[in-house]
């Protein structure tokens, strides 16, 4: 009788061990499969880019007015109102987006973060993509640089910051996971955004922190990361990166010297950035610091943030005088900075 009980105990113990090993093996296999899928998705995002057609950093020289736009974050109606106030767009029933470019030869620079937070990101993308084509045909230009939200979406479409954008895509029957593989139109367009732009003596990027690198150095590193499909790299979205850094000029004891060193490396006089609407004193307003060395243009215009209804930075050059004005959602202009400057190459 005792031997039978002992035998049953041994059998039960053996079965328990087998079940435990099977469960462990299944967990390992499951983890391996998930890891494998993640690695596969990352490798698929390494889509070949035509760097001649879509350079890492755009450089332009122009006599035309330059208009800078901060973080839109799905604020479509406010974007339309702003661009209308500036005379950049006009209502057009024949246009697929209901609006067309009316800015002539002017140059519009957006520093990214068109998506997320607000719930009209796709309408924002459709408008900016259409204006990009129309402006070129009219002798003007629209430049949209990469924002951290676009880069983070490409790195991981399932990241929590992208939930509003993902929901929009799904409502339209678009698989968010297909965009980082270059799916047209949105995936391909976002993946071909430049890291930054230099227009005359003005350098535009999402967060502004170049870490003292030159245009060529930034472009080379950007090409490397994008060619590898490494959208989640520290260079792109690390805490000190050009797309993610906050208050980077305040982290050193000699701010002016730091900014002068950065500007010298860029061959520029001004850095214009968004990303951090609380970086300067007055939230909701375009501002400058250190005698025009840096300009903040993220005014929290998305209804999801609502620091303001929006504002644009208007930069005009008349011979050697440069004036930077803000234009708000009601059409009011306010001088932000005035100084000397020139087109690149005509100094």
């Amino acid at each position: 009788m005792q031997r039978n009980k002992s035998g049953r105990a041994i059998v039960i113990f053996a079965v328990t061990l087998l079940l435990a090993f099977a469960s462990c093996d299944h967990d390992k296999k499951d983890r391996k499969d998930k890891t494998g899928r993640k690695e596969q998705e990352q490798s698929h995002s390494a889509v070949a880019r035509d760097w001649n057609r879509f350079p890492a950093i755009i450089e332009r020289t122009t006599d035309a007015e330059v208009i800078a736009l901060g973080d839109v974050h799905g604020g479509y109606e406010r974007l339309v109102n702003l661009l209308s106030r500036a005379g950049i767009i006009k209502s057009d029933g024949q246009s697929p987006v209901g609006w067309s470019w009316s800015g002539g030869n002017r140059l519009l620079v957006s520093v990214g973060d068109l998506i997320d937070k607000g719930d009209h990101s796709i309408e924002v993308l459709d408008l900016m993509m259409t204006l990009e084509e129309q402006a070129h045909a009219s002798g003007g230009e629209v430049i949209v640089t990469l924002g951290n939200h676009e880069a983070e979406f490409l790195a991981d479409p399932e990241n929590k910051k992208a939930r509003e954008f993902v929901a929009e895509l799904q409502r339209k029957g678009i698989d968010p996971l297909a965009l980082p593989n270059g799916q047209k139109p949105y995936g391909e367009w976002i993946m071909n955004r430049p890291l930054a732009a230099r227009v005359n003596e003005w350098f535009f990027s999402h967060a502004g922190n170049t870490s003292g690198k030159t245009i060529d150095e930034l472009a080379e590193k950007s090409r490397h990361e994008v060619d590898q499909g490494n959208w989640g790299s520290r260079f792109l979205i690390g805490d000190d990166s050009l797309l993610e850094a906050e208050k980077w000029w305040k982290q050193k004891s000699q701010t002016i010297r730091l900014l002068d060193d950065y500007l010298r490396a860029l061959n520029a006089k001004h850095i214009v950035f968004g990303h951090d609407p609380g970086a300067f004193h007055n939230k909701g307003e375009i501002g400058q610091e250190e005698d025009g060395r840096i300009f903040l243009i993220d005014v929290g215009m998305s209804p999801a943030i609502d620091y303001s209804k929006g504002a644009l930075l208007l930069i005009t050059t008349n011979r050697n005088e440069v004036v930077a004005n803000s234009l708000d959602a009601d059409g009011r202009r306010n001088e932000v900075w005035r100084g000397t400057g020139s087109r690149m190459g005509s100094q």
Side-chain angles (χ1 to χ4, degrees):
M1 184 71 173
Q2 186 65 36
R3 279 198 300 272
N4 287 342
K5 288 182 178 179
S6 298
R8 283 197 299 272
I10 290 170
V11 170
I12 291 169
F13 180 71
V15 170
T16 302
L17 279 177
L18 285 171
L19 289 172
F21 281 130
S23 175
C24 228
D25 184 62
H26 176 76
D27 288 345
K28 286 181 181 177
K29 187 172 184 292
D30 187 55
R31 284 196 296 270
K32 183 178 180 181
D33 287 346
K34 287 179 181 177
T35 303
R37 283 197 296 271
K38 192 68 175 178
E39 288 175 352
Q40 187 179 38
E41 288 166 12
Q42 183 67 22
S43 66
H44 283 175
S45 68
V47 179
R49 174 165 165 174
D50 183 346
W51 291 106
N52 290 321
R53 185 180 175 192
F54 302 108
I57 296 180
I58 291 177
E59 298 182 75
R60 294 288 185 267
T61 300
T62 181
D63 288 322
E65 183 177 51
V66 178
I67 301 175
L69 168 69
D71 307 35
V72 177
H73 281 306
Y76 174 75
E77 295 296 338
R78 293 182 178 184
L79 173 63
V80 165
N81 177 63
L82 267 181
L83 298 183
S84 298
R85 293 283 188 185
I88 287 293
I89 62 173
K90 63 181 180 181
S91 180
D92 184 356
Q94 301 302 310
S95 170
V97 295
W99 299 90
S100 62
W101 177 262
S102 58
N105 69 342
R106 285 183 284 178
L107 194 157
L108 173 65
V109 186
S110 159
V111 293
D113 272 12
L114 299 179
I115 64 171
D116 298 339
K117 298 187 179 180
D119 53 7
H120 294 283
S121 295
I122 290 179
E123 290 172 89
V124 171
L125 292 176
D126 286 338
L127 177 63
M128 297 302 285
M129 292 165 66
T130 300
L131 293 179
E132 185 180 52
E133 294 181 3
Q134 294 175 343
H136 180 73
S138 299
E141 187 168 11
V142 173
I143 298 171
V144 180
T145 70
L146 194 67
N148 69 296
H149 277 256
E150 285 85 16
E152 289 177 45
F153 174 81
L154 294 174
D156 178 13
E158 296 176 317
N159 83 82
K160 62 182 181 181
K161 291 183 180 180
R163 57 184 177 270
E164 296 89 3
F165 184 43
V166 166
E168 284 187 62
L169 292 168
Q170 291 173 336
R171 284 196 295 271
K172 286 186 171 288
I174 301 170
D175 179 7
L177 298 179
L179 269 64
N181 294 323
Q183 185 187 65
K184 295 181 179 180
Y186 305 115
E188 181 185 57
W189 190 79
I190 292 172
M191 294 175 75
N192 283 323
R193 294 307 88 205
L195 180 68
R198 184 178 63 191
V199 181
N200 297 337
E201 298 174 324
W202 299 73
F203 181 81
F204 301 86
S205 67
H206 185 62
N209 184 24
T210 65
S211 298
K213 292 182 173 62
T214 65
I215 295 284
D216 289 344
E217 289 170 339
L218 291 168
E220 180 181 4
K221 184 63 174 174
S222 177
R223 287 191 295 267
H224 173 77
E225 300 295 350
V226 171
D227 282 341
Q228 297 298 314
N230 193 13
W231 296 100
S233 72
R234 290 187 61 81
F235 172 74
L236 290 176
I237 58 172
D239 289 344
D240 295 322
S241 69
L242 192 58
L243 304 184
E244 192 74 67
E246 295 184 353
K247 301 174 182 62
W248 44 270
W249 66 97
K250 295 183 178 180
Q251 297 171 7
K252 306 292 183 181
S253 58
Q254 298 180 346
T255 298
I256 291 180
R257 181 176 177 180
L258 171 80
L259 291 172
D260 284 345
D261 288 345
Y262 283 18
L263 288 164
R264 190 177 304 109
L266 296 169
N267 191 22
K269 291 185 177 180
H270 317 276
I271 295 174
V272 182
F273 63 96
H275 180 60
D276 185 6
F280 287 5
H281 303 297
N282 299 320
K283 287 183 179 180
E285 295 180 10
I286 286 176
Q288 63 87 20
E289 287 192 354
E290 309 302 343
D291 193 23
R293 289 174 174 85
I294 49 176
F295 288 76
L296 174 68
I297 60 171
D298 181 0
V299 295
M301 65 177 280
S302 170
I305 302 167
D306 208 27
Y307 291 160
S308 77
K309 300 297 190 295
L312 296 168
L313 180 68
L314 313 180
I315 304 166
T316 57
T317 302
N318 184 11
R319 295 185 180 178
N320 289 328
E321 183 179 59
V322 181
V323 180
N325 289 296
S326 66
L327 177 73
D328 70 17
D330 293 322
R332 292 186 295 261
R333 287 178 179 245
N334 179 56
E335 185 173 304
V336 179
W337 179 84
R338 180 184 295 263
T340 59
S342 64
R343 298 168 57 213
M344 300 299 294
S346 62
Q347 301 175 24

